[in-house]
Amino acid sequence: AALAYVKSNSKLDSSNVGALSSSGGGVPLLTFILNTPELKAGVARCAVVTDVLTDTQVFHHAPLMSSMSYGYRVGVKDVSNLDSYGEWTIPLALKTKGFKTNETDVPVLAINTKDDMVNPPEEMKYTAGLSTKGEVAYYGNSGHCPDGPEAEQAIISFFDKYM
């Protein structure tokens, strides 16, 4: 819908569009990028695309409010039953769907902190590797999702590079 809006608005340059999403928006973002070759670039900020969706033990270690919130977003019927999450999350994972390296030529930046328990370095490499022009960047030392001026500048610089 956002892309359709950009394409229909003559005030916007519909030939120069990028996409960015964070955390639980990872699967929709990468699916959008993989299916929209006219995009100029995409930034996957701490994007959940596979690992936490298939190794559901992380839901037992994360704060309950965070796990339940994610459960609601993906349609888990009983969000208090953390053992049931895999039924809903495993089919969403990009690896489960069969996506491998070099699936798109749209440049992808996978950006995160160095020790995110939700998105470990291997997940970041997989995410970037979906693109023939994928890059990985780490900002900050801990937590889920990078923030601050250095991370913001890295995102802006990535978009400037390709758009």
Side-chain angles (χ1 to χ4, degrees):
L3 183 59
Y5 173 77
V6 168
K7 287 182 174 184
S8 70
N9 188 327
S10 62
K11 294 179 183 179
L12 300 174
D13 180 358
S14 64
S15 67
N16 196 25
V17 178
L20 176 142
S21 188
S22 299
S23 193
V27 169
L29 171 72
L30 269 296
T31 302
F32 179 57
I33 291 170
L34 293 169
N35 290 307
T36 314
E38 67 265 28
L39 292 175
K40 297 298 182 189
V43 175
R45 183 178 170 270
C46 57
V48 172
V49 297
T50 288
D51 289 358
V52 72
L53 300 172
T54 57
D55 181 6
T56 58
Q57 287 305 302
V58 75
F59 293 114
H60 291 275
H61 302 291
L64 184 58
M65 180 179 78
S66 298
S67 294
M68 291 175 76
S69 172
Y70 192 75
Y72 280 118
R73 283 184 277 160
V74 298
V76 173
K77 296 290 184 208
D78 178 5
V79 295
S80 64
N81 180 3
L82 299 178
D83 291 327
S84 73
Y85 279 37
E87 177 184 344
W88 307 97
T89 61
I90 292 170
L92 294 174
L94 295 184
K95 281 186 184 175
T96 303
K97 294 178 179 181
F99 290 110
K100 297 183 172 86
T101 59
N102 300 326
E103 294 275 351
T104 183
D105 292 328
V106 175
V108 171
L109 172 64
I111 185 170
N112 205 353
T113 62
K114 295 176 183 176
D115 72 346
D116 185 347
M117 72 179 240
V118 174
N119 249 338
E122 288 306 312
E123 174 99 338
M124 303 302 296
K125 291 175 190 171
Y126 170 77
T127 301
L130 292 169
S131 169
T132 59
K133 298 175 187 131
E135 299 178 24
V136 177
Y138 297 102
Y139 291 89
N141 292 320
S142 64
H144 180 59
C145 295
D147 57 10
E150 289 179 339
E152 290 173 14
Q153 188 55 53
I155 292 168
I156 291 167
S157 295
F158 186 80
F159 280 129
D160 283 346
K161 180 177 176 180
Y162 291 103
M163 297 177 67

